[in-house]
Amino acid sequence: MERRDFIRLTGMGTTAFFIRSSVPLFLTSCRYDGMMMNMRGRPVSVIEGYFTTLLSIPQTINGQATLTAQRTAYNIFEGKISQVLGYQYGSILGSSIIVNSGENININFQNNLSETSNIHWHGLLTPANMDGHPEDVAQPGRSLNYNFTVLQRAGMYWYHSHPDGNTAKQVFLGLAGVFIVRDDEEKSLNLPFGEFEIPLVIQDKRIFPDYALDYSPNMGEVMTGYMGPYITVNGVYSPYKDVKTRNYRLRVLNGSNGRIYNLALSNGDFFTIIGADGGLLVSPQTITSLMLGPGERADLIVDFSSYSIGTQLFLVNKTFSAGASQGTQEFKIIKFKVAQNEKDTFTPPGMLSVIKTIPESSAVKTRVFNIFNAGMGGGGNEGMSMRGMHRINNKTYDKNRIDETVQAGSTEIWVFDNSMGDEPHPMHIHAIQFQILDRTGGRNSLISSERGWKDTVMLLPGEKVRVIMTFGQNKGKYVLHCHNLEHEDDGMMLQFEIV
Ligand code: C2O
Ligand code: CU
Ligand code: CU
């Protein structure tokens, strides 16, 4: 990697942090359709490194801990120090939290930033006042206590900051971590564990010439989502991992703001998906690629046993079609070096888990959410308003408005309609895990990861997806939003209340 590449590619930004009040200055120019097209259609090319830096595995902690949001520094690029945000000193991201289902978590969150922050437990079924609602924030220098019982099945969930209008920047700069729940059903499967179970948090980054992370989206990047040319895994750019000739369980989180990955092995080999957002699938599926949108997780088994020592294999992104700003480039994400012989006898069991299908007939209500852009280009935008290029049902998030009221314990079908849209939107609902009924338009079918419990679902341009869920007994206010974090901060979020 040559230094001038960094400078060339990051020369556009001069301030470390995005100043939202500058947005209205861009709005007038955004009204020109030609420019809009141009802004939407610009993919950010990935710069591949040499995969010579060792992958970092986050340390693990249990549910009794303090997480301190702070400015700190980290070696994202080998031999270089980057200014980042983290939940502990000297590290980007936070430790991996591992708890057993049924256990209590008691996390003290200390906000040592100079702006408000909080923690949302993405995918966990928490009481409303523990959920990290965008309005429940700690002021600078203050703390919040998150205390609740983890009552759900094994799976890889995650946590990240979630203050209204400022989530994208804080997550991009480093405020996220994985949250693993174990249970007996999962334990009985004897899946690869210890050094053979590896969380992989995939994120794309952009940097200043001094290597500090650069979050400074322009108008076009609020449209497409903010993407960077440097792909990191667990906070490390261009990493490698030595592996043994056996099975590994790779627990992948797309923790990127806006980038979608179409994961595959560089030699086109098969791998196995055993779980997704809300835990194990009913049975393992053998696949050669998997699309993973921002916020989504995949539980993968990769078998290195047929490779000889010295083989180098990459997890790559394959090209895909998802609107003009995404998917045009194939690139490498992480290198696996087969370094040592070790036999294991593991084969994924034919049955992994029991998932009770929620019958469509049990739904008492269907709600439709239009998620194609209603704000821009339709002539109805709100002039100099700071937000609203992305909307849900033509509405921009308003903390003082409850958009939907649902009954505790009831089952509903929610329809996300991107059939007229030309951008991808990973839609996420707090408070529950849902099942996906169907997808019409676009890909017209469900993919392997979508046949289990989910909390985030990708809608590519032209697609409509129906999900079904049963609300729990935790009453209060939650949000649903696009997990393209620029879209979320732009207001592509609504509030619902469980009563
Ligand atoms: Cu991962 Cu409301 O978000
Ligand atoms: Cu969430
Ligand atoms: Cu979106």
Side-chain angles (χ1 to χ4, degrees):
M1 169 77 40
E2 294 188 29
R3 193 176 169 86
R4 65 171 179 275
D5 290 337
F6 289 104
I7 295 164
R8 180 167 50 79
L9 276 140
T10 58
M12 69 251 292
T14 49
T15 54
F17 297 124
F18 180 45
I19 300 157
R20 277 176 56 201
S21 58
S22 67
V23 170
L25 301 176
F26 290 108
L27 265 175
T28 4
S29 56
C30 275
R31 295 213 176 101
Y32 294 105
D33 283 343
M35 184 170 280
M36 283 303 305
M37 290 310 291
N38 187 30
M39 283 175 159
R40 282 188 196 182
R42 196 187 300 147
V44 174
S45 298
V46 166
I47 301 169
E48 280 183 1
Y50 299 106
F51 299 91
T52 51
T53 310
L54 186 65
L55 178 74
S56 146
I57 313 281
Q59 79 173 92
T60 61
I61 54 173
N62 63 21
Q64 322 290 318
T66 295
L67 298 175
T68 305
Q70 59 194 287
R71 288 174 179 251
T72 184
Y74 191 69
N75 288 310
I76 299 171
F77 299 87
E78 193 165 25
K80 309 289 177 199
I81 290 177
S82 295
Q83 300 303 311
V84 302
L85 299 184
Y87 283 117
Q88 63 231 25
Y89 181 76
S91 183
I92 192 172
L93 302 173
S95 302
S96 298
I97 299 173
I98 303 189
V99 302
N100 292 312
S101 186
E103 277 174 12
N104 203 65
I105 76 152
N106 187 351
I107 302 272
N108 185 49
F109 168 63
Q110 171 67 32
N111 180 12
N112 285 356
L113 304 176
S114 54
E115 57 190 22
T116 60
S117 191
N118 63 355
I119 299 181
H120 166 57
W121 314 95
H122 180 129
L124 295 180
L125 317 177
T126 71
N129 63 347
M130 294 289 136
D131 187 51
H133 185 287
E135 313 308 327
D136 281 340
V137 293
Q139 296 300 317
R142 308 301 290 265
S143 64
L144 282 173
N145 181 257
Y146 293 99
N147 192 328
F148 58 91
T149 306
V150 176
L151 292 174
Q152 63 195 96
R153 61 204 299 262
M156 189 172 92
Y157 308 93
W158 63 302
Y159 62 95
H160 59 80
S161 70
H162 210 310
D164 179 28
N166 214 10
T167 295
K169 182 189 78 180
Q170 292 187 1
V171 172
F172 187 88
L173 296 177
L175 293 183
V178 312
F179 194 115
I180 290 174
V181 178
R182 310 272 193 214
D183 67 12
D184 292 342
E185 180 187 56
E186 181 200 47
K187 273 176 197 145
S188 72
L189 299 174
N190 292 313
L191 300 170
F193 68 100
E195 63 170 302
F196 308 114
E197 180 191 19
I198 306 174
L200 300 177
V201 180
I202 306 176
Q203 298 176 306
D204 54 339
K205 301 296 184 198
R206 200 182 292 189
I207 51 174
F208 288 109
D210 69 357
Y211 294 88
L213 289 184
D214 169 14
Y215 187 74
S216 54
N218 61 30
M219 183 66 144
E221 288 159 345
V222 172
M223 293 305 298
T224 57
Y226 192 66
M227 290 176 236
Y230 303 107
I231 307 295
T232 63
V233 183
N234 299 346
V236 172
Y237 172 60
S238 187
Y240 80 93
K241 172 89 183 89
D242 281 338
V243 294
K244 300 177 178 174
T245 54
R246 53 162 291 144
N247 283 280
Y248 280 75
R249 183 181 187 189
L250 304 180
R251 312 202 67 175
V252 185
L253 159 66
N254 180 351
S256 307
N257 282 30
R259 199 182 274 281
I260 301 162
Y261 302 91
N262 188 22
L263 302 174
L265 294 170
S266 50
N267 60 359
D269 217 346
F270 290 101
F271 55 101
T272 303
I273 178 166
I274 59 168
D277 298 353
L280 295 166
L281 301 175
V282 170
S283 56
Q285 308 287 317
T286 304
I287 53 177
T288 53
S289 68
L290 179 70
M291 189 178 278
L292 204 62
E296 290 186 298
R297 287 88 69 205
D299 200 345
L300 306 177
I301 300 286
V302 177
D303 181 3
F304 295 101
S305 65
S306 63
Y307 301 113
S308 49
I309 302 292
T311 304
Q312 301 199 346
L313 196 66
F314 293 86
L315 184 66
V316 300
N317 171 75
K318 290 281 189 195
T319 60
F320 56 90
S321 140
S325 63
Q326 291 258 15
T328 59
Q329 187 189 8
E330 177 164 338
F331 54 82
K332 302 182 181 92
I333 296 169
I334 177 175
K335 176 164 83 180
F336 297 106
K337 284 162 65 176
V338 182
Q340 200 181 324
N341 280 310
E342 181 181 302
K343 240 189 134 35
D344 73 341
T345 52
F346 177 79
T347 46
M351 289 292 292
L352 296 164
S353 174
V354 176
I355 294 180
K356 263 180 82 179
T357 304
I358 308 175
E360 238 182 281
S361 59
S362 64
V364 296
K365 198 170 171 86
T366 297
R367 298 176 202 253
V368 178
F369 298 91
N370 285 331
I371 57 169
F372 45 88
N373 277 344
M376 294 301 294
N381 78 59
E382 304 201 319
M384 299 306 276
S385 128
M386 256 196 285
R387 306 216 243 187
M389 291 184 293
H390 303 88
R391 297 174 175 213
I392 302 176
N393 285 343
N394 206 23
K395 291 188 284 190
T396 297
Y397 175 69
D398 181 345
K399 63 170 192 245
N400 297 314
R401 193 185 63 221
I402 303 291
D403 299 285
E404 310 291 340
T405 302
V406 305
Q407 302 293 320
S410 70
T411 298
E412 296 200 0
I413 293 171
W414 287 12
V415 183
F416 295 117
D417 185 354
N418 197 27
S419 56
M420 309 287 283
D422 59 0
E423 297 177 292
H425 298 291
M427 297 305 296
H428 170 53
I429 310 173
H430 286 212
I432 48 91
Q433 291 280 329
F434 54 73
Q435 293 177 359
I436 306 179
L437 292 170
D438 49 34
R439 169 183 283 114
T440 48
R443 290 171 287 171
N444 255 309
S445 59
L446 302 188
I447 65 172
S448 58
S449 56
E450 294 176 334
R451 301 192 181 275
W453 291 104
K454 293 281 290 169
D455 53 54
T456 307
V457 58
M458 268 302 308
L459 283 105
L460 294 183
E463 294 182 347
K464 187 196 273 196
V465 164
R466 293 192 311 144
V467 304
I468 189 167
M469 71 215 109
T470 301
F471 294 94
Q473 295 300 329
N474 289 320
K475 296 180 180 166
K477 292 179 202 169
Y478 296 90
V479 291
L480 69 135
H481 58 88
C482 181
H483 221 286
N484 177 312
L485 298 180
E486 281 66 42
H487 293 183
E488 176 190 332
D489 281 354
D490 186 41
M492 194 171 178
M493 176 159 70
L494 298 182
Q495 195 166 207
F496 69 97
E497 184 167 12
I498 302 178
V499 297

